[in-house]
Amino acid sequence: MEDSFSGDEDYYYSDRDSLDGLENDEADLQWVPPKGSSTKVITRESLLAAQKEDLRRVMELLSLREHHARTLLIHYRWDVEKLLAVLVENGKESLFNEAGVTVIDDADPMLPLSSMVMCDICMEEVAGDKATKMDCGHCFCNDCWTEHFIVKINEGQSKRIRCMAHKCNAICDEAVVRNLVSKKHPNLAEKFERFLLESFIEDNKMVKWCPSTPHCGNAIRVEEVEVCEVECACGAQFCFSCLSEAHSPCSCSMWDLWAKKCRDESETVNWITVHTKPCPKCHKPVEKNGGCNLVSCICGQAFCWLCGGATGRDHTWSRIAGHSCGRYKEDKAKKTERAKRELYRYMHYHNRYKAHTDSFKLESKLKETVLEKVSISEERESRLRDFSWVTNGLYRLFRSRRVLSYSYPFAFYMFGEELFKDEMTDEEREIKQHLFEDQQQQLEANVEKLSKFLEEPFDQYPDDKVMEIRMQVINLSVITDTLCKKM
């Protein structure tokens, strides 16, 4: 991934589609990327600069001090556009009141040093220099203010510490908080500063931390909320909405359901399904540990092992009193057949999803081998000097394989009955499923071809053979990219 710096700020501009055009001399093979929403990678070093820029905009627009501007932005989750919309619609007074900002033009925060002030918290008189008056006009002694700030910081409320006065909604001046806390607890003052800085990410719907493990320290800022998948400078690709791994074409709800289903359908659960039956009363799994078909759950309920129906406890070696399940019941058989069909359907999609996921993991290891081949090829005497088609092909292979693997969970829910049962008729579902599976098969075939060509030992081939592989890789890269976008 190519990264470029913007001005004095350490912003990485990451718009993968706009950077990875496939370079080729032949005009008919050139790939022109579509315009997409750009993302910005904010490093730890540039975090402060990014925050200051938004603060500066609000300070200049509303003629406010920095802590007032920060209070407004935190309240509106650092969405400057939303803040401006509220300002236009409701006016400045409503904007300030809702966010807890109190701006008094004639307010004099300084108290006469010679005067004595009664603190309404500890009910003691203190000298003017031992008390502090906030913008809202409430004045208390510094000791009470300090203890109040310490409690709020430890409770994780650093970003919006309110005045101590009863029913006062005003937010305390961060400079006052910093000054008073640092005298008693310098470490806590640093924590307060860190909370204020990180609020730019924690409370900002347009900025999120990269979820990489271990954490790279970067954050991603998007220009539009609609952006689904982003990539950090550290190489981590993830969904901006749910912070899970990139999962297109699955929606976030589809991926969440699939991940949960995969966890639930683990080997342990499969064993429980095969070897136990649910109690008809408490629904907990019960294992049969004897030959008798009358079993008892720990909740006290007795039931028939053959059909799962609740029964009494009276029984003989041959039958359970008042119970018979030997007769064939069509509804029961249909229900069993449907459950079996659903299990086979899940296994079909899961096996293919897992196969492509495993291939993706193995192909990720291919990168080092391929780059080594490129290095050897560049060192030998050859008329071929540009091997960017290899790295572009690798990237297309990784992305296409990932999209292909997630296309199976997508198909499982899209054409099943769990999410979209009433969205389309059976005929419409069948037509759409056939169209989707046709594209899926095309993508699958071309991904396998691309993988095969990239695994070729091109560093050992003559130039003519390398040129043939190059053309194939470029063609397949364009084809797989187009099919991925259709997905």
Side-chain angles (χ1 to χ4, degrees):
M1 177 176 146
E2 296 179 20
D3 301 321
S4 60
F5 291 94
S6 171
D8 298 328
E9 298 173 355
D10 296 341
Y11 287 156
Y12 292 97
Y13 284 83
S14 164
D15 192 355
R16 174 72 82 169
D17 285 338
S18 65
L19 294 175
D20 290 332
L22 299 176
E23 297 177 4
N24 184 32
D25 296 335
E26 291 77 3
D28 59 331
L29 288 178
Q30 284 190 339
W31 179 77
V32 180
K35 291 184 179 179
S37 300
S38 61
T39 61
K40 234 181 248 180
V41 178
I42 305 175
T43 63
R44 281 194 181 278
E45 293 74 22
S46 64
L47 179 57
L48 183 61
Q51 190 185 57
K52 289 284 187 185
E53 176 60 25
D54 282 356
L55 286 169
R56 182 190 60 78
R57 286 181 63 191
V58 176
M59 288 165 66
E60 290 180 357
L61 183 71
L62 299 173
S63 302
L64 295 173
R65 286 190 287 165
E66 183 175 312
H67 83 276
H68 287 143
R70 192 192 306 277
T71 301
L72 282 172
L73 283 167
I74 288 174
H75 180 76
Y76 291 101
R77 300 183 65 83
W78 292 88
D79 189 339
V80 179
E81 302 308 320
K82 182 180 179 181
L83 188 153
L84 296 178
V86 174
L87 174 66
V88 171
E89 187 175 344
N90 301 331
K92 187 182 286 189
E93 185 177 348
S94 176
L95 178 79
F96 288 177
N97 289 339
E98 192 176 334
V101 173
T102 305
V103 181
I104 303 174
D105 296 333
D106 300 327
D108 182 12
M110 299 299 294
L111 297 169
L113 298 180
S114 58
S115 65
M116 297 297 289
V117 177
M118 171 63 76
C119 175
D120 291 337
I121 301 296
C122 62
M123 303 306 292
E124 292 185 4
E125 281 195 348
V126 294
D129 60 339
K130 300 294 182 183
T132 300
K133 184 180 179 183
M134 291 293 171
D135 292 338
C136 57
H138 294 117
C139 179
F140 303 106
C141 72
N142 290 344
D143 288 340
C144 288
W145 277 122
T146 304
E147 292 304 316
H148 174 66
F149 297 150
I150 289 171
V151 169
K152 293 300 180 184
I153 293 171
N154 284 327
E155 288 178 352
Q157 300 182 33
S158 301
K159 296 172 285 188
R160 291 180 62 81
I161 300 179
R162 298 189 184 278
C163 173
M164 289 189 290
H166 183 56
K167 292 186 178 180
C168 181
N169 199 38
I171 305 299
C172 297
D173 188 337
E174 63 194 51
V176 175
V177 178
R178 190 182 300 114
N179 180 45
L180 293 179
V181 174
S182 62
K183 292 176 180 177
K184 279 192 174 182
H185 298 279
N187 292 338
L188 210 56
E190 290 179 13
K191 185 179 180 180
F192 172 72
E193 288 283 4
R194 189 171 68 253
F195 278 152
L196 286 181
L197 184 61
E198 292 180 351
S199 73
F200 179 68
I201 294 172
E202 305 291 347
D203 300 321
N204 195 335
K205 69 175 182 178
M206 309 295 280
V207 183
K208 289 184 180 178
W209 288 114
C210 170
S212 58
T213 306
H215 190 232
C216 64
N218 295 337
I220 307 291
R221 182 173 192 169
V222 298
E223 300 300 326
E224 298 175 5
V225 182
E226 286 74 17
V227 174
C228 287
E229 292 177 0
V230 294
E231 181 165 356
C232 179
C234 70
Q237 296 179 350
F238 62 96
C239 171
F240 190 81
S241 299
C242 65
L243 295 182
S244 300
E245 55 192 283
H247 51 67
S248 62
C250 286
S251 65
C252 294
S253 58
M254 281 181 178
W255 175 243
D256 186 53
L257 286 170
W258 180 258
K260 184 178 184 297
K261 189 171 184 67
C262 288
R263 286 194 300 269
D264 291 345
E265 300 288 344
S266 63
E267 290 301 317
T268 303
V269 174
N270 286 339
W271 186 93
I272 290 174
T273 304
V274 172
H275 294 91
T276 69
K277 291 194 176 179
C279 168
K281 181 180 178 182
C282 67
H283 306 292
K284 290 180 179 177
V286 178
E287 182 183 7
K288 186 177 179 218
N289 59 2
C292 181
N293 285 322
L294 179 73
V295 294
S296 296
C297 177
I298 57 173
C299 71
Q301 176 66 53
F303 65 94
C304 174
W305 179 259
L306 295 176
C307 68
T311 67
R313 291 183 173 275
D314 295 334
H315 70 293
T316 64
W317 287 108
S318 59
R319 62 189 298 274
I320 301 171
H323 177 75
S324 174
C325 60
R327 295 181 184 275
Y328 175 75
K329 294 181 181 179
E330 190 173 354
D331 288 346
K332 189 80 172 178
K334 284 182 178 179
K335 191 175 181 181
T336 304
E337 186 62 33
R338 182 180 177 183
K340 188 184 294 185
R341 190 169 63 249
E342 282 297 315
L343 178 61
Y344 286 151
R345 183 174 180 271
Y346 165 73
M347 288 171 63
H348 168 84
Y349 286 106
H350 182 268
N351 289 342
R352 283 152 183 78
Y353 159 75
K354 191 172 187 309
H356 286 295
T357 302
D358 291 343
S359 295
F360 178 80
K361 291 175 182 176
L362 291 170
E363 284 167 348
S364 297
K365 298 176 183 177
L366 177 69
K367 185 176 181 180
E368 293 181 11
T369 308
V370 171
L371 293 179
E372 189 177 336
K373 292 178 190 175
V374 170
S375 180
I376 294 171
S377 301
E378 287 175 339
E379 288 175 0
R380 72 178 187 178
E381 292 185 6
S382 170
R383 59 192 175 90
L384 293 173
R385 294 294 178 192
D386 182 16
F387 287 89
S388 60
W389 55 273
V390 179
T391 51
N392 277 325
L394 265 179
Y395 168 65
R396 301 296 167 191
L397 173 64
F398 295 155
R399 190 174 76 162
S400 302
R401 181 73 77 182
R402 178 172 57 78
V403 170
L404 185 59
S405 66
Y406 290 120
S407 70
Y408 286 99
F410 173 83
F412 178 81
Y413 287 109
M414 189 71 211
F415 307 115
E417 297 184 352
E418 191 167 345
L419 293 180
F420 302 104
K421 183 179 180 180
D422 301 324
E423 296 289 327
M424 45 190 160
T425 64
D426 291 342
E427 186 180 355
E428 288 174 334
R429 181 182 288 107
E430 187 177 357
I431 293 171
K432 290 180 180 181
Q433 184 170 355
H434 286 322
L435 287 170
F436 180 83
E437 287 173 350
D438 285 344
Q439 288 195 357
Q440 194 179 44
Q441 287 175 4
Q442 289 180 45
L443 178 60
E444 196 164 20
N446 284 288
V447 165
E448 298 302 341
K449 287 179 187 176
L450 181 58
S451 178
K452 175 180 174 294
F453 280 113
L454 286 171
E455 288 177 359
E456 293 277 356
F458 57 84
D459 56 320
Q460 302 171 17
Y461 290 163
D463 288 353
D464 292 342
K465 180 71 172 175
V466 175
M467 283 295 292
E468 287 179 23
I469 294 174
R470 174 179 178 271
M471 293 295 291
Q472 291 287 353
V473 169
I474 290 175
N475 278 326
L476 289 167
S477 297
V478 174
I479 291 168
T480 55
D481 191 72
T482 303
L483 289 169
C484 280
K485 287 180 173 64
K486 285 183 178 179
M487 278 279 179

